[in-house]
Amino acid sequence: MTSSPRPSSLDPAVAARLKRSADGLVPAIAQQYDTGEVLMLGWMDDEALHRTLTTGRCTYWSRSRQEYWVKGDTSGHFQHVMSVALDCDADTVLVKVDQVGAACHTGDRTCFDSDVLLPLAQ
């Protein structure tokens, strides 16, 4: 189901490059800038990306609540943006952040450390 695009102030040149899902979103991977640790995956529409680029704080689109949320506004676990890049197909955003506190809503440092399907080989 395709939703109506929300108004955005994203640079039109950047917006033209994005390859969005049917609901107008791109996955956004948050990675700790200095260690490379993958912290979480969220979703951004054009306006969330614009806000992330211009405020220095990660803004995501909540698919369940159908609203924007800035990481840390309610939890205190902020993501300070260090850099933002598109992948080679312009269908995924990589946001390198300085994570303060837990990245996962469960309170874990990352969203990827509690359900390891295949551990690193020794």
Side-chain angles (χ1 to χ4, degrees):
M1 176 181 188
T2 303
S3 61
S4 300
R6 290 167 288 279
S8 176
S9 299
L10 183 64
D11 178 335
V14 175
R17 294 178 56 206
L18 291 177
K19 293 184 182 124
R20 301 163 196 78
S21 65
D23 53 0
L25 303 173
V26 294
I29 300 166
Q31 180 182 37
Q32 178 63 35
Y33 82 99
D34 55 352
T35 65
E37 179 181 31
V38 176
L39 301 169
M40 60 171 279
L41 179 131
W43 295 92
M44 292 183 179
D45 66 357
D46 289 19
E47 182 60 17
L49 180 56
H50 167 72
R51 293 178 187 187
T52 298
L53 292 168
T54 58
T55 66
R57 302 250 328 270
C58 279
T59 301
Y60 299 99
W61 176 255
S62 171
R63 296 178 300 167
S64 59
R65 295 187 312 265
Q66 293 291 295
E67 65 184 16
Y68 295 104
W69 59 279
V70 178
K71 185 68 173 169
D73 273 0
T74 56
S75 67
H77 300 161
F78 298 100
Q79 291 178 339
H80 301 286
V81 176
M82 306 303 283
S83 70
V84 179
L86 293 175
D87 76 335
C88 58
D89 295 320
D91 64 0
T92 303
V93 176
L94 176 62
V95 186
K96 292 189 179 184
V97 301
D98 189 11
Q99 178 71 46
V100 176
C104 188
H105 71 280
T106 64
D108 287 338
R109 169 74 181 164
T110 88
C111 294
F112 297 101
D113 62 357
S114 64
D115 197 10
V116 178
L117 302 178
L118 181 63
L120 289 173
Q122 297 297 324

